[in-house]
Amino acid sequence: MTLALSAACGALEPVLGYPDALFRAVGHPVSWIGRLIGFLDEKLNRENHSFVRRRLMGCAATALVLAAAAVAGAVVERVLALAPAPFGFLLSAAASSTLVAQKSLFDHVRAVGAALESGGIEAGREAVARLVGRDVSALEAAGVRRAAIESLAENFSDGIVAPLLWIAAFGLPGGLVYKALNTADSMVGHCSARHEAFGFAAARLDDLANLVPARWSALCVIVAAAFTSSAEARAGARIVRRDHGAHDSPNSGWPEAAFAGALGLKFGGPRRYGKRLVEGHFIGDGRADATPQDLSRALALYRRACLVNWAALAFGALAFILWRG
């Protein structure tokens, strides 16, 4: 039933989203996990400790976070299963949908274009800063749009495909463990001086957890491009084959290359994170300057890619149910 749960979750999340009132009242599962990670980082990642000890502490902290997520997910799943059918299943799907970001990612990226149109470059920079971790203070309008599209491509895998696949494999506990790991990677997994040792386990495990989702997400984008008049599926496939390894991450290059190729854009290149300049490779061979139309095309491709991913889950669930029946 985990496959059916994932398909139901993918159908409910674009409708339900995560209500702002609920977020203000109790927060979000990711914010709860983030507080635990922050607490462990503060208590266990001491600068006066040796590199080896900090790495061991990071491994222990990562294991504790994942164990807590697994136990919490299993308890919630078991409690919800006590409700009469089909309400227990629907409640589990609704709970699992909080781990997926189809609607919020679409809304945040669309908000970047709206901010540029209504408030100018400063409003656009402020909107895109909510999506990316790099310095956006020097970006012009075209760069702001491109950064938003790059974030859309990368988060299609991390925020939609991966949690749904982990839910399909292991139910609500699997989805929550994945979100815990992904949150740990985003908070401590980057190779800063403070987290080079402590974040090693989170970063490596996150790479492993995203191996299949990243490649599947690229395939979803290519298939979606075949049904999108403003995208080119063959170009997407060509750029994926050529440039998927150009990204620093072993996984992020797959969906980014698929979007870049399908949309005829160029991603990556040099970028600044605070005071640190990263000389990244380029992905794609199209235009580097993204237009308002490119942002709209990217969102249209994204929605179809989400639909392709959901259709595959739904078909798989139906086939399994018929086979078992």
Side-chain angles (χ1 to χ4, degrees):
M1 292 300 292
T2 55
L3 192 57
L5 178 68
S6 181
C9 170
L12 284 175
E13 191 274 336
V15 178
L16 299 177
Y18 196 84
D20 291 337
L22 182 61
F23 181 82
R24 289 192 297 269
V26 300
H28 186 275
V30 170
S31 65
W32 308 334
I33 294 166
R35 283 196 287 271
L36 174 59
I37 295 166
F39 173 80
L40 294 173
D41 183 26
E42 179 184 355
K43 297 299 182 181
L44 301 180
N45 189 16
R46 301 294 178 87
E47 293 184 1
N48 61 330
H49 290 169
S50 68
F51 183 91
V52 172
R53 183 171 180 179
R54 292 174 80 175
R55 177 165 288 188
L56 290 174
M57 290 296 98
C59 292
T62 302
L64 180 60
V65 169
L66 298 186
V71 170
V75 169
V76 171
E77 187 175 61
R78 182 62 61 89
V79 169
L80 295 179
L82 297 176
F87 297 108
F89 176 81
L90 292 175
L91 288 172
S92 293
S96 299
S97 73
T98 65
L99 307 176
V100 185
Q102 292 175 104
K103 184 178 186 298
S104 64
L105 180 57
F106 180 90
D107 290 343
H108 278 95
V109 173
R110 184 173 58 178
V112 173
L116 282 170
E117 290 184 11
S118 62
I121 186 62
E122 290 302 326
R125 289 170 181 164
E126 183 180 347
V128 82
R130 301 188 186 103
L131 289 168
V132 302
R134 57 183 162 123
D135 184 4
V136 300
S137 60
L139 292 180
E140 297 302 326
V144 167
R145 294 187 199 96
R146 189 178 70 152
I149 297 172
E150 289 175 357
S151 181
L152 181 71
E154 181 177 357
N155 284 292
F156 171 62
S157 177
D158 291 354
I160 291 91
V161 172
L164 285 174
L165 288 184
W166 278 87
I167 292 168
F170 302 108
L172 176 57
L176 194 56
V177 166
Y178 171 79
K179 291 303 293 185
L181 180 58
N182 193 242
T183 304
D185 177 59
S186 67
M187 291 182 65
V188 304
H190 296 291
C191 257
S192 63
R194 174 171 175 79
H195 294 125
E196 183 179 2
F198 189 80
F200 175 81
R204 298 290 77 79
L205 286 174
D206 185 72
D207 288 343
L208 184 62
N210 282 293
L211 280 175
V212 172
R215 287 145 183 81
W216 173 249
S217 66
L219 180 59
C220 289
V221 173
I222 292 168
V223 173
F227 298 94
T228 306
S229 59
S230 57
E232 177 54 59
R234 288 185 179 180
R238 178 176 62 83
I239 296 301
V240 166
R241 287 195 301 269
R242 192 191 73 186
D243 292 349
H244 70 269
H247 201 285
D248 291 339
S249 164
N251 298 313
S252 297
W254 291 84
E256 287 198 23
F259 268 88
L263 297 171
L265 295 173
K266 181 188 292 184
F267 294 162
R271 59 191 66 197
R272 186 172 294 279
Y273 294 85
K275 297 181 179 180
R276 184 167 61 99
L277 179 65
V278 177
E279 296 287 348
H281 299 287
F282 282 106
I283 296 175
D285 51 16
R287 291 175 289 104
D289 293 335
T291 67
Q293 291 73 26
D294 290 328
L295 191 58
S296 297
R297 292 193 304 128
L299 288 169
L301 179 60
Y302 163 78
R303 295 184 74 169
R304 286 172 173 80
C306 288
L307 182 59
V308 169
N309 180 58
W310 175 82
L313 292 171
F315 179 80
L318 179 61
F320 184 78
I321 290 170
L322 293 175
W323 175 67
R324 287 294 299 270

